[in-house]
Amino acid sequence: MIKNDLFLRALNNETLERPPVWMMRQAGRYLPEFRALRDKYDFFTRCETPELAAEITVQPIRIVKPDAAILFSDILVVPRAMGIHVELKDNLGPIIPNPIRTMEQVNQVFVPNIHETLGYVMDAVKLTKEMLNDEVPLIGFAGSPWTIFCYAVEGKGSKSFDTAKGFCFSNPVAAHTLLQKITDTTILYLKEKVKAGCNAIQIFDSWGGMLSPEDYKEFSWQYINQIVEALAEETKVIVFGKGCWFALNDMAKSKASALGVDWTCSPRNARYLTGGKITLQGNFDPSRLLSPIPTIKKMVHEMIDEFGKDNYIVNLGHGILPNIPVDHAKAFVEAVKEYQK
């Protein structure tokens, strides 16, 4: 039994003394201990070495003490397993040297054997579970098919992903074929993560907000929902779509156990759009962690009051920034633990 199960109880819609708290990208560059490992090992070495991935996952549990751990990995391990070459360039982020622009290229992408291509992730899950020693739950994750598609077609990060969108609109058959392959791979991958020991799964749709509501249904949500449907019988699934407030109503009708909300949607609107019952997660602006500590604590308490302490998981509205002082991250977590209503 997990000693601190607040996070899992929130996903079960239980009445709690306080909401649980964790932070997206909590195992990351704001921690000096993380930077020490980053300076020794390149990014994909850290992802692909179970001992390193487990150590990085557990660092924030020791230092910041949130209520859940999230496995250190990357959404781009999935396209790499599918035969799409991905590089990570300093100060540029992920680069795909041969972006997918034709049906012929789509046909070369394959649904892999998960154990052969991503077995190192399952090893990292098992090792992390040992290191956590049932103190807190472990979250596994994957990028949404649309978000992976964006990188695969655009070839790099973008402010608008016009090339990826243009591929969908000019060559929809090829686009849907690639999206389905990513979806099938992601389902197989996440099921193995659950078997290896992950207690819940989060799907990150980082670029869903680039699409119109109608295009979102066609090119993103239908594929996310396939994943939710496939995983819901086996584990709790959280869906986080950045900039996707317009889809919250459809998402709330799915089998997802919780929905992430970014800081551009107020708690009141998020509750209204989702019907007021499903567990919500979010939505503190990551930049707000640069505020003075008393301001952070005050704002966190106000945020909990607005969402309500039940059916709620405290989190940021996106990943923690690299320039956040560790004491400010600790203050964010402490504010939740000090909350009384």
Side-chain angles (χ1 to χ4, degrees), residues 23 28-32 35 285-291 296 316 319-330 332:
M23 292 180 289
R29 294 170 290 174
Y30 73 104
L31 290 173
R35 293 197 295 271
D285 183 341
S287 299
R288 266 292 180 182
L289 289 179
L290 291 167
S291 300
I296 293 170
L316 305 176
I320 189 169
L321 301 170
N323 60 334
I324 300 301
V326 176
D327 283 350
H328 289 222
K330 286 181 178 176
F332 177 78

Side-chain angles (χ1 to χ4, degrees), residues 91-163:
N91 303 318
L92 284 176
I95 301 289
I96 292 170
N98 298 303
I100 293 169
R101 305 283 168 83
T102 66
M103 188 66 179
E104 185 181 13
Q105 287 175 292
V106 170
N107 288 336
Q108 290 170 355
V109 176
F110 54 88
V111 176
N113 178 307
I114 300 299
H115 291 287
E116 288 176 6
T117 56
L118 291 164
Y120 62 86
V121 179
M122 312 317 146
D123 292 339
V125 171
K126 291 169 187 171
L127 193 53
T128 302
K129 291 289 286 185
E130 284 179 28
M131 291 173 69
L132 287 172
N133 194 29
D134 289 332
E135 289 296 327
V136 295
L138 177 63
I139 305 165
F141 72 90
S144 73
W146 164 253
T147 290
I148 302 296
F149 175 97
C150 279
Y151 284 112
V153 176
E154 200 83 25
K156 59 186 178 183
S158 168
K159 289 184 177 176
S160 58
F161 288 100
D162 290 334
T163 304

Side-chain angles (χ1 to χ4, degrees), residues 40-55:
K40 276 189 185 178
Y41 307 98
D42 71 69
F43 183 77
F44 282 116
T45 297
R46 279 174 272 144
C47 286
E48 293 171 3
T49 307
E51 293 77 11
L52 292 174
E55 170 60 26

Side-chain angles (χ1 to χ4, degrees), residues 9-79:
R9 289 167 61 201
L11 291 176
N12 279 329
N13 301 108
E14 293 182 27
T15 300
L16 304 173
E17 53 275 20
R18 68 162 175 89
V21 56
W22 67 281
M23 292 180 289
M24 291 182 276
R25 290 200 195 130
Q26 65 188 14
R29 294 170 290 174
Y30 73 104
L31 290 173
E33 293 83 352
F34 176 92
R35 293 197 295 271
L37 289 174
R38 179 197 62 186
D39 294 343
K40 276 189 185 178
Y41 307 98
D42 71 69
F43 183 77
F44 282 116
T45 297
R46 279 174 272 144
C47 286
E48 293 171 3
T49 307
E51 293 77 11
L52 292 174
E55 170 60 26
I56 293 167
T57 302
V58 174
Q59 280 177 351
I61 306 306
R62 298 188 196 119
I63 300 161
V64 185
K65 298 182 169 53
D67 295 310
I70 182 163
L71 186 74
F72 175 75
S73 186
D74 193 80
I75 64 172
L76 296 178
V77 300
V78 167

